Amino acid sequence: MTAAKRTLYLTTPIYYVNDVPHVGHAYTTIAADALTRARRLAGHDVFFLTGTDEHGQNIERIAREKGISEQEHCDRIAAAFRELWQRYDIRYDRFIRTTDLIHKRGVLRLWEKLRVAKTPDGRDAVYSGTYSGWYCPRCEGFKDEEELKQPGNLCPDHERPCEWTEEENLFFRLSAYEGWLRQTIESDTLRIRPESRRNEVLGVIQQGLKDFSVSRARVKWGIPVPEQPDHVLYVWVDALSNYITALGFADDAPDYRHYWAGGDERLHLIGKDIIRFHCLYWPAILYAAGVPVPTRAFGQGFITREGRRLSKSTGNVIDPVALVERLGPDAARYFLLREASYGADWDFTDAAFVARYNADLANDLGNLVSRALTMVARYCEAKVPPRPAPVSTTALQERWKRFLQSPEAAGASSRLKAFEEVSGSRLFGEAASELLVEHALARYEELDFAGALGEIWALVSSLNQAIVQTEPWTLAKDPARKGELDAFLYRLLEGVRVVATLASPVIPRAAARIFSMLDLGEREPGADDLAWGRLESGSRLGKVAPLFPRVEKANDAKETPVSETTPPSAPKPALPPSEAARLSAGEKIDIAEFAKVELRAAKITEAEKIAGSKKLVRLQVDLGGETRQVVAGIAESYEPQALVGKTIVLVANLKPAKLMGVESNGMVLAGAVDGNAVLCTFDSSVAPGTKVK
Ligand code: MSP
């Protein structure tokens, strides 16, 4: 029997659907995805949950303003989140929405337990009382009088007036759990990191915890309290419960039992803004209900611009769509996780993004891969050279262990680099990779993404230096040194493979492409790939294709800085540059890539030239029950009235873009014949909306 794998249940906050996603949401979700992949690489059994927080007064207000139902609004925004995660190559195991039935049923089951729960000193954990206080409808929370900005009793976060509220509410007796919470956090039974966040939470306990109300009278869009149907459950009780409802808490489902109740690790990634809810309210609620509590919480830092918080009202937002489109998902993921320590606040700049991309991805990694493969193509007929006899790593491992205890190691930004210097040994070959594997996985485990990547890049630079020092081109001139050359190149390729494996949690696409070039199949590396010497001698390497083509500086006219919301008049290229380069190199795409493009038959019902443009025409098209506006650059080839009635082929799932200020929701397909557009049509009648395959 094989031993059961260690489990990790990993969650992001569920994001509010007030608005489309922003870069802070992407930051947490990318970190969770990278950690999931890293822990799977380490052989663990991981379940990764994300989702959306959809109830509350804000949603009622926004839906009313838009003139649509709350559910419709939530559906739209939840879809935008899912679409964004797809672009970032996020692979969650489940996407929970608080409007899902499984969630509502789970919340009610938890509520049943809370209603009868007793505090450690034997009182009811939930009791009725009168609440009075300053309520901010935007925060959906009460504020202490001293927090308010004067004059006007303004919410300190939203700068809008708070309302004095008195209502009969049900309360949760948080104050009765002070001792238990302190002990749970101090003993690291609930391990809160970074340390500063742990101290902050202990500080809050020290000041004394107040009971909080768990029902709301004036909110309709929520889960009604069974014993008081004119109240809904407090939005935070509703929201926090997602972590267990998503696993099937309502039915004591196998996933719930495996990953939560019987799991080894239950880890919440959160921003520092919501640490109190997760580290005080949530554990106390669960403990009261007799449900196991989380084992870890990590509070990530906040991304700022020019030192200020990101906010639409001040205009300093970072558009996560523009960010991923600029240089592709790997580049965005790498930058966000490499640029700063995960727990710290940091300032985003376009220049830093481009500089990191060029230095680390295009130069260091890109050059290493292309040099290694080109040399093998040139000197070994593009086949993996014979595997050299393994070298014993015991002595180096011993020195490494001693080094890790030394002060030099403690102060080093890259321990592998520092070790190289202290020990005088080049990090090359099996020993280096073994040290790196263990060390990088440990850094990931601690959510030290920048640290893990720093160590992996120490090996990249070591491999690059080894090429310069060994001069394989000189070895190649001397047939007597063929064995030496082969051994060097084998180790170099293995180094590349180990780098791709260890970096794959952060840059999964590039890793899969490196694997494909190494004839290992275009696949995600797995735990088996960590061992040294996996490359099969004699296997044929693929064509060397550029991984990360260099780009010019941030304000290159061709590119839009990502720190501005994508201007509608400058539609982005459909593919990130690295993808585009690959395709223009004549490579084939697979059917799955093609399947991402949704082609449909569309009937033109209206057409008119766009004022001020020679080329553009505005079309209304019928997609079979749906009418769309599309802008097409065909005005020089067709008179508008000749277009009406034609059934054409439309790319139906393009993101909206504005052309000459007119919104376009799709793209019309046409051939270019001597500079004229010739529309793709059908040779017999096809109903509008029909899928084109
Ligand atoms: N819905 C609640 C969470 C409920 S969890 C049971 C919520 N949603 S939110 O949409 O406001 O998302 C908050 C989270 O987004 C933060 O905790 C953090 O993970 C992320 N970020 C939001 N802005 C951020 C930055 N500027 N920088 C980094 N992350 C930030 O709160």
Side-chain angles (χ1 to χ4, degrees):
M1 216 176 91
T2 51
K5 287 183 184 175
R6 183 180 163 78
T7 66
L8 166 67
Y9 179 50
L10 175 64
T11 67
T12 70
I14 47 169
Y15 304 114
Y16 287 134
V17 291
N18 301 359
D19 206 344
V20 290
H22 72 68
V23 75
H25 303 142
Y27 189 37
T28 325
T29 313
I30 290 168
D33 184 69
L35 184 64
T36 299
R37 293 171 189 261
R39 294 287 293 266
R40 289 200 175 125
L41 207 53
H44 299 164
D45 170 4
V46 187
F47 191 107
F48 163 23
L49 177 78
T50 188
T52 40
D53 188 352
E54 303 188 355
H55 286 137
Q57 238 173 355
N58 279 328
I59 304 302
E60 285 173 14
R61 177 181 49 80
I62 295 167
R64 203 170 40 244
E65 283 165 7
K66 288 192 173 170
I68 56 177
S69 71
E70 285 92 351
Q71 190 62 55
E72 193 178 340
H73 168 76
C74 294
D75 290 350
R76 285 186 195 171
I77 306 283
F81 272 96
R82 292 174 103 129
E83 202 229 333
L84 186 67
W85 301 155
Q86 217 173 354
R87 284 169 181 268
Y88 275 96
D89 286 337
I90 304 292
R91 273 203 274 138
Y92 48 79
D93 293 291
R94 197 157 294 157
F95 189 98
I96 183 76
R97 301 177 54 187
T98 50
T99 51
D100 288 342
L101 185 60
I102 190 177
H103 175 73
K104 293 182 188 162
R105 291 180 52 238
V107 171
L108 292 177
R109 175 151 190 253
L110 185 65
W111 179 248
E112 274 165 24
K113 290 180 185 277
L114 278 180
R115 286 297 279 145
V116 295
K118 297 284 177 204
T119 60
D121 56 5
R123 289 175 295 162
D124 290 338
V126 171
Y127 62 92
S128 345
T130 309
Y131 193 91
S132 52
W134 292 102
Y135 181 74
C136 168
R138 295 285 168 117
C139 297
E140 309 200 28
F142 286 91
K143 302 279 155 192
D144 288 338
E145 182 129 18
E146 36 310 348
E147 284 181 76
L148 303 182
K149 276 196 170 177
Q150 300 301 351
N153 300 318
L154 307 180
C155 162
D157 295 326
H158 293 100
E159 307 212 336
R160 283 170 175 262
C162 292
E163 298 157 10
W164 180 255
T165 308
E166 277 186 26
E167 59 184 44
E168 275 306 299
N169 270 347
L170 294 168
F171 282 78
F172 179 77
R173 209 181 296 276
L174 185 67
S175 54
Y177 295 89
E178 248 178 51
W180 174 81
L181 279 166
R182 183 181 299 111
Q183 198 272 329
T184 303
I185 294 166
E186 274 175 352
S187 63
D188 264 357
T189 309
L190 167 56
R191 187 163 170 251
I192 305 171
R193 291 293 181 276
E195 205 73 44
S196 53
R197 300 287 160 223
R198 178 174 180 266
N199 294 339
E200 180 187 317
V201 176
L202 288 169
V204 175
I205 300 177
Q206 192 59 31
Q207 303 206 333
L209 296 178
K210 286 194 205 140
D211 299 346
F212 60 92
S213 61
V214 287
S215 67
R216 284 283 179 278
R218 288 163 316 146
V219 187
K220 300 274 164 299
W221 182 241
I223 301 179
V225 180
E227 349 5 50
Q228 225 173 350
D230 55 332
H231 279 52
V232 296
L233 284 168
Y234 174 40
V235 70
W236 273 99
V237 174
D238 177 348
L240 290 160
S241 311
N242 90 87
Y243 300 131
I244 57 173
T245 63
L247 290 175
F249 174 71
D251 306 304
D252 201 27
D255 276 345
Y256 169 73
R257 278 185 272 126
H258 184 66
Y259 290 105
W260 190 275
D264 297 307
E265 203 178 330
R266 300 174 282 273
L267 165 59
H268 299 312
L269 295 194
I270 45 181
K272 58 178 183 176
D273 49 335
I274 52 178
I275 207 123
R276 292 181 188 198
F277 296 108
H278 283 78
C279 298
L280 297 171
Y281 287 24
W282 178 229
I285 287 173
L286 289 171
Y287 181 62
V291 175
V293 302
T295 61
R296 261 176 103 180
F298 194 98
Q300 76 178 23
F302 261 48
I303 302 175
T304 55
R305 272 196 52 88
E306 288 155 5
R308 287 178 312 148
R309 62 179 273 184
L310 306 177
S311 136
K312 267 198 172 166
S313 49
T314 52
N316 66 338
V317 291
I318 300 164
D319 176 7
V321 176
L323 180 65
V324 72
E325 285 189 348
R326 176 85 204 270
L327 297 166
D330 281 354
R333 294 166 62 109
Y334 180 82
F335 178 65
L336 291 177
L337 295 182
R338 176 72 178 95
E339 193 60 9
S341 162
Y342 186 54
D345 293 349
W346 61 286
D347 211 54
F348 181 100
T349 66
D350 296 305
F353 180 31
V354 173
R356 262 272 168 231
Y357 172 88
N358 279 336
D360 296 10
L361 298 175
N363 282 2
D364 295 348
L365 180 62
N367 283 345
L368 170 67
V369 174
S370 85
R371 287 159 97 190
L373 271 95
T374 308
M375 285 192 289
V376 175
R378 193 166 298 156
Y379 307 132
C380 311
E381 297 164 349
K383 287 188 194 142
V384 175
R387 183 185 290 122
V391 180
S392 163
T393 65
T394 327
L396 203 75
Q397 297 271 9
E398 285 306 315
R399 280 162 77 187
W400 168 248
K401 271 190 208 134
R402 279 201 303 277
F403 168 75
L404 286 182
Q405 312 300 323
S406 69
E408 287 95 329
S413 59
S414 160
R415 299 203 186 149
L416 274 102
K417 261 270 142 320
F419 179 63
E420 221 180 23
E421 277 158 25
V422 170
S423 68
S425 356
R426 163 159 308 294
L427 289 178
F428 188 73
E430 38 278 67
S433 105
E434 278 163 24
L435 304 187
L436 177 64
V437 164
E438 204 184 311
H439 192 53
L441 290 180
R443 302 266 43 89
Y444 279 131
E445 154 72 32
E446 287 304 312
L447 291 136
D448 178 7
F449 299 104
L453 293 168
E455 300 296 16
I456 298 165
W457 258 253
L459 181 59
V460 170
S461 85
S462 214
L463 293 169
N464 274 325
Q465 281 171 33
I467 297 175
V468 176
Q469 283 172 6
T470 311
E471 298 187 2
W473 45 92
T474 309
L475 297 181
K477 288 185 190 141
D478 183 353
R481 301 184 77 181
K482 174 74 173 134
E484 220 180 302
L485 175 66
D486 281 351
F488 175 80
L489 290 178
Y490 184 91
R491 292 202 161 94
L492 186 64
L493 285 182
E494 265 296 305
V496 168
R497 196 189 58 78
V498 168
V499 163
T501 305
L502 287 174
S504 66
V506 179
I507 50 169
R509 279 196 195 189
R513 289 184 58 210
I514 295 174
F515 263 48
S516 154
M517 289 188 236
L518 293 175
D519 195 32
L520 296 165
E522 183 147 357
R523 63 177 175 86
E524 197 177 319
D528 289 349
D529 294 307
L530 293 172
W532 176 261
R534 304 284 297 175
L535 283 171
E536 284 302 330
S537 305
S539 50
R540 182 168 282 283
L541 302 188
K543 233 181 40 205
V544 186
L547 282 175
F548 296 105
R550 265 190 83 81
V551 293
E552 297 312 316
K553 46 187 194 310
N555 48 6
D556 178 341
K558 291 194 297 285
E559 299 288 352
T560 310
V562 295
S563 48
E564 287 165 16
T565 305
T566 324
S569 55
K572 293 273 153 191
L575 292 172
S578 53
E579 284 285 84
R582 178 164 74 89
L583 296 182
S584 62
E587 238 179 84
K588 307 244 184 322
I589 60 166
D590 63 29
I591 190 90
E593 272 170 295
F594 174 69
K596 288 185 194 156
V597 182
E598 193 193 329
L599 297 176
R600 291 194 181 273
K603 186 164 183 184
I604 302 176
T605 54
E606 274 176 47
E608 65 167 10
K609 281 199 168 185
I610 292 180
S613 168
K614 279 203 301 202
K615 288 194 174 161
L616 298 180
V617 55
R618 185 188 66 81
L619 307 174
Q620 285 293 337
V621 298
D622 173 8
L623 268 183
E626 186 198 346
T627 306
R628 291 248 191 125
Q629 172 169 288
V630 179
V631 176
I634 54 174
E636 285 172 315
S637 311
Y638 291 90
E639 280 306 317
Q641 58 279 24
L643 290 166
V644 176
K646 278 190 189 300
T647 301
I648 46 99
V649 181
L650 187 81
V651 180
N653 62 341
L654 274 187
K655 289 197 305 156
K658 274 195 184 164
L659 300 163
M660 298 286 289
V662 182
E663 184 165 305
S664 180
N665 286 293
M667 188 174 83
V668 169
L669 293 191
V673 181
D674 297 332
N676 274 324
V678 178
L679 284 170
C680 296
T681 52
F682 296 89
D683 71 355
S684 63
S685 151
V686 169
T690 305
K691 216 171 163 177
V692 180
K693 302 191 275 192

